Amino acid sequence: MRFAKLGTALLTDDVAASTRFYVDHFGFRTLADLGWYTSLQHPQHPEFTLDFTQRGHAAMPADFRTQETGGVLLGFMVADAAAEEATLRAAGVPIAEPLRDEPWGQRRFNVWSPEGTLIEVLQTIDPDPEWMAAQGL
């Protein structure tokens, strides 16, 4: 299958709050806003859209429209995870897991979004050679 575009759509109880969160803290811009639905795009990644639909809206299939948003993690790779964590923490964004270095070569932290999506902000770092060898890598 060939994709013309890739996007993610999430249900939310407050479309405006979810939209503001990603615009204010992650640099997305609004492409469309219908009140019950918004479509966002990041200027650095125009081929990807992040959409929000009001939970319960008839535009979604009946079996899906009232589901809780959960089990979703969005990952954003950055140049300096420590600086991004400090910025988000200062802005009052809920930190789910603080900054940590992983032996497989990631510096990362997690935050919660208004709709309940877990966001991982990470940068690549040098992996721990002993850990890599112990994993057979």
Side-chain angles (χ1 to χ4, degrees), residues 16-96:
S18 291
T19 298
R20 275 191 312 275
F21 178 81
Y22 289 89
V23 168
D24 292 350
H25 300 299
F26 291 93
F28 282 81
R29 63 181 181 185
T30 304
L31 295 176
D33 185 347
L34 304 177
W36 58 269
Y37 166 84
T38 59
S39 182
L40 306 180
Q41 178 185 62
H42 196 279
Q44 293 174 326
H45 303 282
E47 70 286 352
F48 175 76
T49 58
L50 181 60
D51 301 344
F52 296 98
T53 302
Q54 182 70 45
R55 188 179 328 282
H57 197 276
M60 293 289 112
D63 306 17
F64 178 77
R65 69 178 68 139
T66 58
Q67 289 187 18
E68 292 296 318
T69 303
V72 176
L73 181 141
L74 294 177
F76 298 122
M77 189 169 289
V78 299
D80 186 345
E84 298 297 345
E85 185 200 34
T87 299
L88 292 171
R89 188 179 293 278
V93 172
I95 305 294

Side-chain angles (χ1 to χ4, degrees), residues 73 75-82 98-110 120-128 131-132:
L73 181 141
F76 298 122
M77 189 169 289
V78 299
D80 186 345
L99 188 70
R100 63 203 178 278
D101 288 353
E102 303 292 6
W104 51 84
Q106 291 181 342
R107 177 167 293 140
R108 63 189 183 131
F109 67 96
N110 299 97
E120 179 177 68
V121 179
L122 68 138
Q123 78 180 76
T124 57
I125 58 174
D126 290 333
D128 178 323
W131 184 91
M132 296 292 281

